[in-house]
Amino acid sequence: MDGKIVSRLILEARMAAANAYCPYSEYAVGAALLASDGTIWRGCNVENASYGVTCCAERTALFAAVAAGHRAFDALAVVAGPDGGPPASPCGVCRQALAEFCSSDMPVYCASLSGENLKETTIGAMLPDSFSRSTMSRS
């Protein structure tokens, strides 16, 4: 993917992280999901005192895009954590949610909040045996 697009996604994810509601973990996460039409959807983590109600940044971005009618995506950037630390990475629930709408070869860019320590991977590499529609098919 073009370096300018990746830089823009990282910047958008950083801006999304600034809106995170994380009074319990104090771990802000931002995500920027690039729809196939070029629209960028931002998401941040939104925590809740009842932890199960918490929603991750990646799913916040994905669900907003899907609610607006988007079903095809080209890339995702996720930022979180301290500079110098390991790059952020989507949790298992987010990986499965993304696998529902994104191709296994869709690039995912993970970085710290500053955009340092950039790691590139794919949905398929993060979740090689995702649960899918074909898993549910009745023979």
Side-chain angles (χ1 to χ4, degrees):
M1 180 157 285
D2 180 271
K4 287 182 181 180
I5 294 172
V6 174
S7 294
R8 169 94 189 275
L9 286 174
I10 296 290
L11 176 63
E12 294 279 345
R14 288 174 65 198
M15 291 189 296
N19 292 324
Y21 178 75
C22 51
Y24 306 103
S25 71
E26 298 180 4
Y27 189 79
V29 182
L33 181 64
L34 177 63
S36 293
D37 72 350
T39 305
I40 296 175
W41 293 89
R42 292 185 197 169
C44 63
N45 55 321
V46 180
E47 295 179 349
N48 190 284
S50 174
Y51 292 124
V53 180
T54 294
C55 192
C56 298
E58 300 89 333
R59 284 181 289 138
T60 301
L62 176 66
F63 295 165
V66 169
H70 294 273
R71 300 290 188 273
F73 304 97
D74 292 342
L76 172 71
V78 180
V79 299
D83 292 342
S89 184
C91 74
V93 172
C94 289
R95 293 173 189 206
Q96 181 62 52
L98 290 161
E100 181 72 19
F101 294 95
C102 306
S103 67
S104 63
D105 63 345
M106 187 187 88
V108 177
Y109 303 96
C110 305
S112 65
L113 279 174
S114 69
E116 295 175 2
N117 299 329
L118 183 64
K119 174 185 173 186
E120 180 179 351
T121 187
T122 64
I123 296 291
M126 290 189 312
L127 190 66
D129 294 318
S130 66
F131 191 78
S132 67
R133 183 181 300 247
S134 64
T135 307
M136 298 176 65
S137 68
R138 297 178 185 186
S139 302

